[in-house]
Amino acid sequence: CSKKTSVVHEVYHEAQNTLTGSHGIVFNTPPDQIPRGGPQWLIEGSAVLAQIRWQSKQPPEFTFEDYKNFLLKNRLAGQPCNLAALETRDDMVAMGTDVAYACGILAAERLLYTTQNLPTLLTFWQAIGQNQAWENAFKNTFGREKNVYYAEFALYRASLG
């Protein structure tokens, strides 16, 4: 990971913080609780996804499919990616950060693919900034309860082998 891609990742977090308002996405959240800005898999997965999308435009160019294949072969072999077990910072650490981030990247990308609209992430964090609980913002933005998406993603992850 280069310094430039790390900057993209951190700038994305700053955008998340700005959209969610004065308390930001994780403001003083104990590591065993779900942050105000939503589950850790989505906070980190979408930031890394933004980083990957930026990096894929730099030489040498690659596609998200290339990166997804790398993750499946090198980070996620035999890993089911249970999103309910990746909602807190403690969850991410317990799973192992390489695996947890890889799951988050796939889950964020799949969520965007199934809604077919990148601005939905902006809408999600703006809703939280307007004092919606993240679960309500998730349902209103992505059109389904988190547990429904978690089940959909589990099937998708299983289909990838």
Side-chain angles (χ1 to χ4, degrees):
C1 180
S2 74
K3 288 181 183 178
K4 287 181 182 178
T5 58
S6 294
V7 168
V8 170
H9 180 102
E10 295 309 321
V11 166
Y12 189 87
H13 282 318
E14 286 304 314
Q16 290 170 320
N17 282 322
T18 299
L19 292 167
T20 56
S22 62
H23 294 296
I25 52 175
V26 296
F27 180 75
N28 290 335
T29 304
D32 63 339
Q33 294 179 17
I34 301 171
R36 175 179 178 274
Q40 281 295 142
W41 69 262
L42 183 55
I43 291 169
E44 292 299 339
S46 62
V48 177
L49 184 59
Q51 175 183 330
I52 292 164
R53 287 185 174 182
W54 178 83
Q55 190 175 4
S56 71
K57 306 286 187 227
Q58 312 307 310
E61 291 188 19
F62 62 92
T63 66
F64 182 78
E65 285 298 313
D66 295 334
Y67 194 78
K68 180 170 75 173
N69 290 333
F70 165 80
L71 291 176
L72 291 169
K73 181 179 177 185
N74 296 293
R75 301 267 164 74
L76 295 176
Q79 299 291 331
C81 290
N82 177 2
L83 295 182
L86 291 172
E87 293 186 325
T88 71
R89 282 180 283 161
D90 281 354
D91 292 342
M92 300 279 282
V93 170
M95 181 171 285
T97 54
D98 283 350
V99 172
Y101 273 68
C103 289
I105 295 163
L106 282 184
E109 191 275 336
R110 186 66 180 174
L111 185 61
L112 293 177
Y113 175 81
T114 60
T115 57
Q116 299 193 2
N117 189 359
L118 181 59
T120 55
L121 285 172
L122 301 176
T123 302
F124 173 71
W125 282 297
Q126 285 172 331
I128 293 168
Q130 295 166 356
N131 295 318
Q132 279 190 43
W134 80 265
E135 295 93 337
N136 294 335
F138 191 95
K139 180 181 177 185
N140 294 335
T141 303
F142 302 114
R144 56 215 185 264
E145 302 274 348
K146 72 168 187 162
N147 291 336
V148 171
Y149 178 68
Y150 288 11
E152 290 172 5
F153 180 74
L155 292 173
Y156 169 71
R157 173 63 191 98
S159 77
L160 297 175

